[in-house]
Amino acid sequence: MPGIKKVFTAFAILLLLSGCSQKAIDGARADGISLPDNESREPERIDAVSENGGGSMAGAKAVEKVAFRTEDGFMIKGNFTKGGRRAVVLLPQFTSNRDTYAGLAAKLADANFTVLALDLRGHGQSLDRNGLKAGYGEFSEQDFRNMTIDVKAAKVFLGREGFSLFAIVGSSIGANTALNYASADMSVERIVLLSPGMNFKGIETEKPSRSVKAKTLIVASDDDAYSFGSGKALAQNIPGAEFMALSGAGHGTNMFNGTFLERDIAAWLVK
């Protein structure tokens, strides 16, 4: 009988190990961890390179790292959260990156928007132009103005994924870029401009603001005199634009700290 007991004991151990192995695989899938060979979550797409991993979340939805090429050769990196058909593109401020929008992206995902937060050309991980490194420190004013091409590429990417560009949220130089893009693409329904300026790095806003048809929310803080004054002036140029004044909140996405601004932006885009 001792031999039979040993057989049963070995069989029980094998069953236990098998169960643990399957749980590890299932847990990795749930966390968004890339698995080798046939356990990989998604194949690479032709128009965008999928860079899954890390298991980051926006609200209760997984965030996918994507990359797509602009018409002038920049590889733009982004955080992509799939939701409803309407998509919101998020543009960071000068020297910053897409991660500054993590909190807002989560709230927009909770509101069932699809969200695409970008590293604009020359910023964050968007440093590849036709195989050569290109950072913002080497940019001309025209290079900065060409950031609208990044938004155009984002719209194409979203369309191929089955989503429609509904709104753009931009901070500082990203706000100027959002305004300029919306002045030329009338299909954009809403824009949110955080601390815009009349001119950031050669991206002017006074003249194009008069062509904007999108519903517009402009936010600036009174301790940021240039953007506060610019924002008020731009609100006068855009029919029906709303100006939200904050106090002592700083510049751009820094205004998210210690305020309910992320919540208010999500609510404004829903209404």
Side-chain angles (χ1 to χ4, degrees), residues 140-158:
S140 66
E141 289 189 344
Q142 186 58 52
D143 289 325
F144 285 107
R145 286 192 288 269
N146 285 344
M147 285 177 172
T148 53
I149 300 175
D150 302 351
V151 185
K152 181 180 178 181
K155 181 181 180 179
V156 172
F157 167 78
L158 288 168

Side-chain angles (χ1 to χ4, degrees), residues 3-25:
I4 294 175
K5 288 182 178 179
K6 288 181 180 180
V7 171
F8 276 116
T9 301
F11 183 67
I13 291 172
L14 285 172
L15 284 176
L16 179 61
L17 290 174
S18 176
C20 290
S21 176
Q22 184 59 46
K23 287 180 180 178
I25 291 173

Side-chain angles (χ1 to χ4, degrees), residues 12-266:
I13 291 172
L14 285 172
L15 284 176
L16 179 61
L17 290 174
S18 176
C20 290
S21 176
Q22 184 59 46
K23 287 180 180 178
I25 291 173
D26 291 342
R29 282 173 174 158
D31 291 337
I33 299 173
S34 297
L35 298 172
D37 302 324
N38 62 328
E39 298 296 346
S40 181
R41 190 177 70 82
E42 184 182 45
E44 181 174 296
R45 289 175 301 226
I46 294 175
D47 64 305
V49 179
S50 179
E51 302 178 327
N52 296 300
S56 57
M57 302 292 289
K61 299 178 181 179
V63 178
E64 179 183 3
K65 295 185 183 300
V66 298
F68 49 87
R69 187 78 66 179
T70 66
E71 63 188 33
D72 61 344
F74 268 96
M75 182 66 79
I76 301 300
K77 302 294 183 74
N79 290 345
F80 185 43
T81 309
K82 294 180 181 178
R85 177 169 172 75
R86 297 189 302 174
V88 182
V89 169
L90 309 178
L91 309 180
Q93 61 204 52
F94 180 57
T95 77
S96 191
N97 62 57
R98 55 191 158 168
D99 292 336
T100 56
Y101 280 115
L104 177 60
K107 288 178 172 55
L108 293 174
D110 287 343
N112 200 37
F113 286 108
T114 287
V115 186
L116 179 58
L118 304 183
D119 281 347
L120 288 165
R121 61 181 56 205
H123 292 74
Q125 295 182 329
S126 298
L127 303 176
D128 180 317
R129 182 176 186 177
N130 295 320
L132 299 176
K133 185 175 181 179
Y136 63 79
E138 305 166 359
F139 276 13
S140 66
E141 289 189 344
Q142 186 58 52
D143 289 325
F144 285 107
R145 286 192 288 269
N146 285 344
M147 285 177 172
T148 53
I149 300 175
D150 302 351
V151 185
K152 181 180 178 181
K155 181 181 180 179
V156 172
F157 167 78
L158 288 168
R160 290 177 178 172
E161 291 289 317
F163 303 101
S164 175
L165 176 56
F166 168 70
I168 308 171
V169 179
S171 175
S172 191
I173 200 169
N176 284 27
T177 300
L179 184 151
N180 273 264
Y181 183 83
S183 73
D185 184 349
M186 302 302 165
S187 69
V188 177
E189 296 185 39
R190 299 194 183 192
I191 55 174
V192 178
L193 310 178
L194 306 176
S195 305
M198 285 298 182
N199 186 332
F200 284 142
K201 298 293 183 179
I203 308 175
E204 298 181 356
T205 54
E206 201 282 330
K207 183 176 179 180
S209 67
R210 300 181 184 279
S211 300
V212 172
K213 304 300 180 186
K215 188 172 181 180
T216 302
L217 173 65
I218 301 173
V219 186
S221 178
D222 60 6
D223 59 337
D224 181 9
Y226 179 66
S227 288
F228 197 80
S230 296
K232 279 190 168 182
L234 292 171
Q236 295 296 316
N237 291 348
I238 303 171
E242 300 175 45
F243 181 77
M244 180 187 295
L246 300 183
S247 181
H251 182 77
T253 49
N254 292 324
M255 294 189 292
F256 293 157
N257 301 325
T259 71
F260 295 104
L261 182 55
E262 292 169 320
R263 179 202 65 185
D264 293 342
I265 291 172

